[in-house]
Amino acid sequence: MLKIAVLYPELLGTYGDGGNALVLSSRARQRGIEAQVTAVSLDDEIPSADILLLGGGEDGPQRQATFALAKNGALAQRVNNGAILLAVCAGFQIIGTSYEVEGGLHVDGLDLIEAVTTRGEKRRVGNLLTRVGERWLVGFENHGGETQLGDDEVGLGVVSVGAGNAKRAASGDVVDGVRRGRIYGTYAHGPVLAQNPWFADELLSAALGYQLEPLASVADELHRERVSAVGGVEASSLNY
Amino acid sequence: MTTRPSLRSGLAVAALKLVNTASRRLHLGQGTVAGGRVALRIDPHVLRRLARGRRIVLVSGTNGKTTTTALVVAALGGATTNTTGSNMSAGLVAALAADRRSFTVLEVDEAYLPIVAPLVNPEVIVLLNLSRDQLDRAAEVRVLTEKWRTVLHQTNATVVANSADPLVVYAAIAQMDSKVVWCDVGTSWTLDARACPQCTEPLDPVGSWRCDCGFAKPDADFVLGEKLLGRNSEVSLRTALPGAFNRSNAALAVVAAHQLGVSFEEAAQRVASVEGIAGRFTLRRLGGQVFRLMLAKNPAGVAALIDLVAATSHMVVSINDFIADGLDPSWLYDAPFDRLRGATVWCTGSRALDLATRLHYDDVDARVVSPSEIPSRVQSTEPIDIIANYTTFAEWLEVTTPC
C-alpha cells in the first residue's frame, strides 16, 4: 500500500494542488499498486507516508502552515525516515531557510534545505519550462519570490522559459526549485505532475524503491504539447 | 484642460455614443467598451457624474453576476443595465450613458466593486459568492475579500448578502451601519472557506458553521427552501432557468427588488419567466444537433453545473486558455469532474488535452475532438450539454444558431 499524504490542503491548496495526489494515486493504481491518499489537517499528526505533498498558498495561510509544521516538527523526521517530499510554490519556500511576505516580514522556514527567499520587484506569472536531466519539466508559475539556494544545494531544473528561483545559482545557471535526496521543490505550481507524467513516475519510483516501467496515456500527449507550446520547436525536438 | 466639469462630461458622453455607434456599425464589437474607454479618457469622473441621482443596484460575486443582474432587472419590472456583461468601468459608463430609467442595475466585476461602489453611491449591493477564479490575472480570493471589506465598511448601501458563503459574510459584516440583509440561499462550493476568513483556523463551512474565534454564520433574514421564507413573509419561487444555483440567484434578486419597494409576490412572479441570459442555458443548433450552452469559468462554476449534466451520457466540455479565460487551467483539478464518471466527455478548446488528462485521472471516459468534428461525432436525439469557459463560450454562441 502506497501512502500519499497531502499536508494542510485547507491552507496550501490555492490552485489545483490536490491534482498531484490524484495523479500519483491514479498512476500507482493503474499499475496494480494500491494507493491511499490522506488529507492532513492542521490539528492532525503528520502520518508516516511514502510521499508527502506540500502545496501553494497565500501569505497568511503560508505563514500559518509554516508555524504549524515547525511546532509539530515531524516533517523533517518523516523525510529522514525515507518519505519523499514534493514541495510546490509556497511549499517550496516553506521548506527553506526563510522567506519574506508582504510588508517585508521575514519568516523562518523549516530549514530542510538552505534557501533564502526574498520578495522580487514584480510577481512572476507565466509558463515555466526547465531542463531536468534529460527531461523537460513544464508548468505554470505565479509567485512574488526570488529564491537564493545555498552553495551546496542543487536546483531541480535549469530554467529555459520563465523565472523559477529568479536568482543565479552557484553553477551560474538560473535554476528552478531544489533537489536534495528525497526532497523535490519547484515553483511550477498546482498540479505540476499532471503535465509531467515522467516526474510523477520518478517520485513513485523513488518511493517504491524500484524503477517503474513507462505507462502510456493522454498525459504523454499533453506533456509533448505543453513543452512545444512553451518552449517552441527547439525544445520539442529534444528528448521529452 | 480647463473645461467646465459638466461640459467635459457632456463631451465625454457624446464621444462615447459616437465611438459605440461606429464600432457597432463596423461590427468591431458589441459597442459598449470602446466608447466607455474614450469617455473615461476625456472625463475620468464621468462614471460618478452619470450615476448621480439614480437609484442603483450593484451585483457582484465570482459566479452568477450576469444572470442575477438580469433577474434583478426583471424583478424591478425593467431598469437601465449593462446587459452585455461589460462589467468594468468602461462598460458601466456606456450602460449609464445609453439610458436613464427609474432604476439602474449594474453587474460589476468583483475586482472592480471596490472602485465602482464609492463612485456610484448604490442603494443596494447584492453579493453572490466569492471563490477562486483566474489567479494569473486576478487577485487571490482572500485578498479580494479584504478589499470588499474595506469598501463595504465605507458604504451606506443596503447589502443583500448570501449568508451561506463565509467569504461573502466576512466582507459584508464590515458594512458600517449593519444594513445587511442576510439571505441563506445555500452554496455548492466550500473549498475556499476551509480556513476561517477571520483567523485562518480550519473551518467546516457546512450547515450552521462557527469558528472558535467567534466568526459564525449570521442568523438569516431570508432562507431559501421549498419557498423563500422571510421573518414575516413567504413566497413561492419558481425559475425557468435550470439549477439550484439559479434559484439562489433568483432569491437574492427578489430580496434586492423588495428593498426598492417591489412586493415579494410581484418580484417572484417577474423572475419566474426569465430565461436564456446572454445565451446561457439556451438551446442552440449546429448541423442537425441541438446543444444546450452553459458557461463555467472556474471550479465553483463547474461544480454548480455538474449536477445538471451528470445524468446525461454524452456532453462536451470546452476549455480555452486565452487572456479572458486565464492562461493557466490548473483549476480543472479543483472542480469535481469525478462526478462525471460513467459519462463520455468530449474535450475541446485550446486546452482540450489538459482537460482530457484531468478526466482520465478520475477514470472519466474522455475523448479529444476539434470543434469542427463535433457535429459529425457527437450525436444524440436529446440536446447535448456544452460546458464552456469564457472565450470558447463566445465561439460556440457564434457558430450555433438559436432553436
Side-chain angles (χ1 to χ4, degrees):
Chain A
M1 168 74 77
L2 185 82
K3 290 185 188 159
I4 300 161
V6 185
L7 301 179
Y8 309 155
E10 70 272 32
L11 297 174
L12 301 175
T14 312
Y15 222 41
D17 294 89
N20 290 326
L22 177 72
V23 171
L24 289 169
S25 59
S26 170
R27 293 185 77 83
R29 283 187 199 121
Q30 283 174 59
R31 294 169 162 113
I33 302 160
E34 271 191 75
Q36 179 192 61
V37 176
T38 310
V40 181
S41 183
L42 261 190
D43 306 325
D44 299 342
E45 282 295 301
I46 293 174
S48 74
D50 300 293
I51 302 178
L52 297 161
L53 299 173
L54 207 50
E58 298 169 51
D59 280 3
Q62 180 187 17
R63 263 200 341 266
Q64 199 182 3
T66 310
F67 296 152
L69 287 166
K71 198 172 134 202
N72 184 297
L75 184 62
Q77 194 191 329
R78 298 289 181 224
V79 174
N80 287 337
N81 289 347
I84 300 293
L85 173 63
L86 173 65
V88 164
C89 199
F92 164 52
Q93 298 178 351
I94 287 173
I95 64 169
T97 318
S98 68
Y99 59 88
E100 184 183 353
V101 293
E102 207 169 321
L105 184 68
H106 291 263
V107 180
D108 284 341
L110 301 178
D111 219 8
L112 301 187
I113 52 153
E114 197 189 334
V116 174
T117 299
T118 49
R119 280 179 82 82
E121 297 224 325
K122 55 173 190 189
R123 222 177 151 75
R124 316 294 180 128
V125 183
N127 292 312
L128 177 63
L129 180 71
T130 70
R131 195 73 179 155
V132 181
E134 294 295 302
R135 304 278 200 169
W136 289 111
L137 187 77
V138 62
F140 197 88
E141 61 184 333
N142 185 348
H143 60 98
E146 292 186 352
T147 301
Q148 184 80 63
L149 294 180
D151 289 346
D152 297 334
E153 302 289 1
V154 180
L156 177 64
V158 177
V159 172
S160 173
V161 176
N165 295 357
K167 292 263 189 185
R168 208 156 283 284
S171 64
D173 290 322
V174 174
V175 299
D176 170 60
V178 72
R179 171 71 202 281
R180 187 209 278 182
R182 305 175 80 79
I183 299 174
Y184 300 74
T186 177
Y187 270 119
H189 80 174
V192 55
L193 300 182
Q195 292 187 14
N196 301 282
W198 68 265
F199 188 38
D201 285 355
E202 184 171 322
L203 299 182
L204 286 170
S205 297
L208 292 163
Y210 57 88
Q211 191 58 44
L212 288 167
E213 292 298 315
L215 178 76
S217 78
V218 65
D220 302 328
E221 279 174 69
L222 170 65
H223 179 67
R224 281 194 291 275
E225 183 203 66
R226 292 310 303 156
V227 170
S228 117
V230 175
V233 182
E234 197 188 333
S236 60
S237 67
L238 285 166
N239 198 341
Y240 290 103
Chain B
M1 240 163 102
T2 53
T3 327
R4 280 175 298 128
S6 60
L7 182 56
R8 189 185 283 190
S9 278
L11 270 173
V13 170
L16 175 152
K17 288 183 173 164
L18 201 66
V19 172
N20 281 353
T21 307
S23 114
R24 269 192 296 268
R25 293 229 171 108
L26 297 168
H27 300 288
L28 292 175
Q30 293 168 311
T32 49
V33 176
R37 284 205 187 115
V38 170
L40 281 164
R41 187 69 64 82
I42 295 172
D43 179 10
H45 302 290
V46 68
L47 184 56
R48 187 196 297 273
R49 295 202 177 108
L50 285 170
R52 204 169 284 158
R54 299 189 191 229
R55 304 186 71 186
I56 294 181
V57 182
L58 300 182
V59 177
S60 198
T62 306
N63 287 317
K65 291 184 288 289
T66 302
T67 301
T68 308
T69 298
L71 289 165
V72 176
V73 171
L76 290 169
T80 298
T81 185
N82 50 341
T83 38
T84 55
S86 303
N87 60 12
M88 301 180 195
S89 303
L92 302 181
V93 166
L96 291 176
D99 195 14
R100 189 177 190 102
R101 303 180 66 171
S102 323
F103 296 110
T104 299
V105 185
L106 298 174
E107 163 188 348
V108 184
D109 181 271
E110 55 275 29
Y112 273 73
L113 183 67
I115 300 164
V116 170
L119 292 177
V120 305
N121 192 26
E123 202 165 323
V124 176
I125 301 176
V126 181
L127 302 179
L128 305 168
N129 49 63
L130 273 178
S131 68
R132 58 190 67 188
D133 186 26
Q134 300 182 22
L135 287 184
D136 59 302
R137 67 182 195 121
E140 287 167 332
V141 64
R142 275 161 196 276
V143 175
L144 194 57
T145 312
E146 290 294 342
K147 288 186 179 158
W148 273 27
R149 263 178 88 80
T150 308
V151 69
L152 292 170
H153 182 64
Q154 293 156 356
T155 186
N156 54 18
T158 297
V159 177
V160 173
N162 179 1
S163 65
D165 186 319
L167 295 179
V168 166
V169 171
Y170 183 62
I173 51 175
Q175 205 281 348
M176 64 174 180
D177 303 317
S178 309
K179 284 199 300 189
V180 185
V181 184
W182 297 113
C183 305
D184 186 356
V185 296
T187 171
S188 58
W189 185 253
T190 55
L191 194 60
D192 289 300
R194 295 273 169 82
C196 171
Q198 185 162 285
C199 72
T200 71
E201 287 292 316
L203 180 71
D204 184 16
V206 180
S208 301
W209 41 266
R210 165 175 289 281
C211 178
D212 291 341
C213 74
F215 180 72
K217 185 174 180 176
D219 287 337
D221 299 297
F222 291 92
V223 178
L224 181 62
E226 295 273 303
K227 292 181 168 190
L228 177 61
L229 296 180
R231 292 184 194 278
N232 313 300
S233 64
E234 64 166 59
V235 65
S236 295
L237 193 64
R238 287 182 317 278
T239 53
L241 293 167
F245 55 97
N246 275 329
R247 210 162 160 265
S248 301
N249 294 337
L252 292 167
V254 165
V255 173
H258 181 68
Q259 294 301 314
L260 296 171
V262 180
S263 78
F264 286 116
E265 290 71 21
E266 181 91 66
Q269 219 162 47
R270 286 167 170 172
V271 299
S273 55
V274 172
E275 55 188 325
I277 296 140
R280 290 145 206 217
F281 311 107
T282 52
L283 294 179
R284 312 274 301 182
R285 192 180 293 280
L286 178 63
Q289 181 62 46
V290 176
F291 295 94
R292 180 167 64 160
L293 274 188
M294 292 181 282
L295 174 74
K297 48 194 173 62
N298 52 46
V302 170
L305 292 182
I306 272 185
D307 289 333
L308 282 179
V309 302
T312 59
S313 58
H314 282 263
M315 73 201 66
V316 176
V317 181
S318 190
I319 301 294
N320 274 356
D321 66 349
F322 304 136
I323 301 245
D325 304 303
L327 304 173
D328 170 27
S330 294
W331 62 271
L332 293 171
Y333 286 83
D334 288 328
F337 282 113
D338 56 307
R339 279 150 66 189
L340 296 181
R341 217 169 284 153
T344 295
V345 180
W346 299 86
C347 306
T348 192
S350 62
R351 298 305 285 265
L353 278 172
D354 293 77
L355 174 66
T357 300
R358 162 75 187 90
L359 294 167
H360 160 74
Y361 281 129
D362 251 328
D363 302 323
V364 179
D365 179 22
R367 303 183 194 177
V368 177
V369 285
S370 73
S372 59
E373 292 174 307
I374 287 178
S376 59
R377 294 189 61 189
V378 188
Q379 284 172 357
S380 167
T381 52
E382 297 288 307
I384 290 174
D385 287 328
I386 299 182
I387 296 179
N389 69 344
Y390 206 76
T391 62
T392 171
F393 183 87
E395 290 164 3
W396 279 106
L397 213 48
E398 183 101 23
V399 300
T400 54
T401 52
C403 280

